Amino acid sequence: MSVPTSSPLSRSRSRPRSLHSEDTLPENLEDVSPEERIKALKEREEEERAEREQSSSSSSEETEIVVDWDGPNDRTNPKNWSYKKKWAATLVVSSFTFISPVSSSMVAPATEQIAQQFGVTSSVLIAMMTSVFFIGPLSEIYGRSRVLQISNLFYLAWNIGCGFAQNRSQLIAFRLLAGLGGSAPLSVGGGVLGDTWHPEERGRAIAIYSLAPLLGPVIGPVCGGWIAERSTWRWVFWSTSIVDVMVQISGLFFLKETYAPYLLEKKAVQIRKDLAEKGSQVNVKTVFDGTDRTWQHIFRKAMTRPFALFAREPIIQLLGAYMAFVYGIFYLFLTTMPSIFTNVYHNDAGIGGLHYIALGVGLSLSSQVNARFMDKIYIHFKNKNGGVGEPEFRLPSMVPGTILLPFGLLLSGWSAQHHLHWIATDIGIACIGAGLILVFQSMQTYVVDAFTLHAASALAAVSCLRSLAGFGFPLFANAMYNKLGYGKGDTILACLCIGLGCPAPILLWKYGRRIRMSSRYARKSPHPHPQNVNANANSNESRDPAPASPTGVEGEKEKETV
């Protein structure tokens, strides 16, 4: 608990001095003249009078307690949790993020079976049954853990309902509702990692977290193909629901609340209760509190913040558009993989699903390599920048991703077009996976670093476009590939990746800080101090200096936020 210096509670009350006490006279009393002695006594008397007046005026003011962490080493601060507790939260959040995309993509190998049962002949409707699968801001009101778990229960209920759907309309509606609950971890999860990990440690955690939503669509079709072949499509949904129950149970035990404003508000509530019992009239607020603390104001602000971020923040618009494009290509490619291995390589659903392992290999290998080097690259550039960390230091690992992605599209597309051996197509698919994860990890870590306190809202704003792209791109996949073929179709996508993707890290590196510094919500980085370079050169535990902000706490605390 920190207390403003204007409050009388923040001052140590000194014992009033007597004019006859020894400390009112100089130590060399025997050597001074009477005039000097009288002068010293008068000066001390004036001093004490001023102290009494100041104390009297301060006590008449309204006292206020500002609740903050109890020092930099407060163990209740999620950033000071043990590594074991941090990794437990990271793995649980990653599990929440993993299960939703598994459900989204697991149905892909079973779409023909579903189409036959419900009499669906439209390729658009078939794609909708696969891709109709989309709350982050609520976590900035009610806390991360509660929103994650309630959203997951909502997803679980409707995912079970998908298995009982009796027609195509019910299936699409239930998928839509399940996707609404399943979308929360994609935005809230990044906020949890921003709450718990310091910037120098965050890269590895986000590498695991960002792998989960992309690895889900790999494991889903592999399992879904065999389930659809050996059982019915309904077990595609019921099996994921069984796994989700286990994820939910792990969340109840290991996912603790991490959102700083929510934790400090609970602490402030307890202090208000204790003071009320003593009859004390003290205003208690947290460092995140603004002038309007009503729940209506807080709810309105939190729910509109993602739209405000998207409408007013150029950096969010740029990142959202680019990530939407990449995510759209990913889901477009996922929906066309079954047709490639069924029509070109004549595999059944089970064997065809195994080719998704190539995508998983690319995702996993690239993610593990990036996890080892992302934080080291960040610390390297931070030390060169006078000990000041910048979100732009996450961008170098994005560069190889922008090269691997179009290369993989060209290789897989033309290999399938010319009926080359399936291993060539799988190598191309692995390269696509490697490029995707490098881009995703860089972008997600950049957003979390730039909007730490509001990471959930920022990721929700970015995810809006990403979800629309994941829904929209597969709708024209069949028409495009039927018209152009796999080679020319993937060549168009590769050219777009080169045109949009390759300049992206260079432009963000050059202009990203300037755009971010004009943001209202982004973390403001201080100017580097060259004299600190040597002091920080060998320190992996150094922390970013607090940027200028209304409250000066890690650049993350804003007056208007609770």
Side-chain angles (χ1 to χ4, degrees), residues 358-359 362 401 404-409 411 426-436:
L359 188 61
L404 284 169
L405 182 56
F407 173 77
L409 285 168
L411 180 58
D426 279 4
I427 292 173
I429 292 170
C431 290
I432 292 172
L436 278 168

Side-chain angles (χ1 to χ4, degrees), residues 288-531:
F288 296 98
D289 283 349
T291 54
D292 192 345
R293 298 180 59 255
T294 62
W295 72 267
Q296 294 96 334
H297 173 80
I298 296 166
F299 186 87
R300 183 174 64 253
K301 196 160 193 65
M303 293 305 293
T304 58
R305 187 179 293 118
F307 301 101
L309 284 168
F310 185 76
R312 301 174 185 169
E313 305 288 345
I315 195 71
I316 290 292
Q317 295 166 2
L318 292 171
L319 295 176
Y322 183 65
M323 289 186 72
F325 171 71
V326 174
Y327 202 71
I329 287 178
F330 179 54
Y331 262 81
L332 186 152
F333 197 78
L334 280 178
T335 56
T336 57
M337 280 182 65
S339 64
I340 289 176
F341 293 104
T342 300
N343 300 330
V344 177
Y345 295 101
H346 308 292
N347 296 146
D348 55 32
I351 297 299
L354 294 177
H355 291 278
Y356 287 86
I357 295 175
L359 188 61
V361 169
L363 289 168
S364 301
L365 287 179
S366 186
S367 175
Q368 289 304 306
V369 172
N370 197 33
R372 294 178 181 274
F373 289 101
M374 186 183 290
D375 286 334
K376 293 180 180 179
I377 292 170
Y378 180 89
I379 293 170
H380 168 75
F381 284 108
K382 176 181 173 179
N383 292 336
K384 289 184 66 176
N385 196 42
V388 177
E390 305 274 8
E392 286 72 31
F393 299 160
R394 303 296 187 182
L395 297 172
S397 59
M398 182 180 168
V399 174
T402 61
I403 298 171
L404 284 169
L405 182 56
F407 173 77
L409 285 168
L410 291 171
L411 180 58
S412 61
W414 286 107
S415 297
Q417 182 71 32
H418 292 293
H419 295 70
L420 300 182
H421 193 276
W422 58 264
I423 194 66
T425 305
D426 279 4
I427 292 173
I429 292 170
C431 290
I432 292 172
L436 278 168
I437 195 65
L438 288 173
V439 171
F440 262 72
Q441 286 177 348
S442 297
M443 290 291 94
Q444 281 201 305
T445 316
Y446 183 95
V447 171
V448 173
D449 281 3
F451 297 88
T452 311
L453 185 65
H454 302 303
S457 290
L459 288 171
V462 171
S463 296
C464 260
L465 277 178
R466 193 174 72 178
S467 298
L468 288 173
F471 167 72
F473 272 52
L475 298 182
F476 63 81
N478 288 333
M480 182 181 75
Y481 285 112
N482 289 338
K483 183 74 174 178
L484 301 175
Y486 296 112
K488 290 182 179 179
D490 282 349
T491 298
I492 291 174
L493 296 178
C495 290
L496 288 172
C497 286
I498 293 170
L500 295 175
C502 291
I506 300 170
L507 294 174
L508 283 172
W509 182 269
K510 188 172 182 180
Y511 301 108
R513 187 181 191 277
R514 186 186 306 172
I515 299 171
R516 179 170 50 83
M517 292 296 281
S518 64
S519 165
R520 178 181 177 184
Y521 294 96
R523 181 170 68 92
K524 305 297 190 299
S525 301
H527 292 291
H529 302 288
Q531 63 269 25

